Amino acid sequence: MSGPSRRRTLTRVCTHAGCAERGFVEYTSRRDLEHISRDWKCLRHSKPNEVLSAGNPETTAVLTLHPSYIDGYRHGDPPRLLGFFWGPEGAEKGSSGVESGPGFRAIAADFPPGTRLIITARIELPEEQQ
Ligand SMILES: [Zn+2]
């Protein structure tokens, strides 16, 4: 029953000093295991400037519309424009036709090229703690 495709779990500990958070990765072969980075950081420490706190009460992300092309079916055909997709501003391409979060949905096809989607999250602490 324990063939080569049996799933196993690797436990990784966040490499941020003093953090004991653990994450789990499933793998099936020794070769998969060799390609899993041991330098793993938890949700809190992988992008610390995105974690909201009293000292970092607001974050903003900006997405733009990126064109996406598909190759011609016959060799020599020019690529055809497939459409526009949301992606981080400054990135090479977008990947999402719809961006959504609590309270909003932005459908890429509804907007012209050059549109920017600005997403802000802000924490307001109870007044007695401010
Ligand atoms: Zn951590």
Side-chain angles (χ1 to χ4, degrees):
M1 291 297 285
S2 60
S5 65
R6 186 179 155 202
R7 282 174 179 262
R8 297 168 189 274
T9 301
L10 172 70
T11 301
R12 297 185 293 183
V13 179
C14 176
T15 55
H16 182 85
C19 184
E21 197 69 39
R22 298 196 290 175
F24 307 96
V25 187
E26 287 199 338
Y27 66 96
T28 52
S29 71
R30 190 173 290 272
R31 212 185 138 188
D32 289 344
L33 185 60
E34 287 168 6
H35 289 88
I36 299 171
S37 172
R38 301 302 196 273
D39 184 16
W40 173 81
K41 285 190 165 59
C42 71
L43 191 66
R44 181 180 298 279
H45 294 117
S46 60
K47 292 181 177 175
N49 55 346
E50 292 186 3
V51 177
L52 296 169
S53 65
N56 185 35
E58 184 173 305
T59 68
T60 296
V62 179
L63 304 180
T64 57
L65 290 173
H66 299 267
S68 180
Y69 299 92
I70 49 173
D71 292 329
Y73 290 108
R74 289 173 308 208
H75 183 70
D77 283 358
R80 287 193 302 130
L81 179 66
L82 184 62
F84 286 83
F85 295 86
W86 296 116
E89 189 168 51
E92 268 185 34
K93 60 181 185 177
S95 59
S96 173
V98 180
E99 281 293 339
S100 65
F104 80 94
R105 290 178 186 179
I107 300 164
D110 292 353
F111 302 99
T115 301
R116 300 169 83 226
L117 171 60
I118 298 152
I119 305 158
T120 297
R122 185 178 70 246
I123 286 293
E124 287 185 3
L125 293 170
E127 284 187 45
E128 62 269 22
Q129 292 183 20
Q130 286 184 347

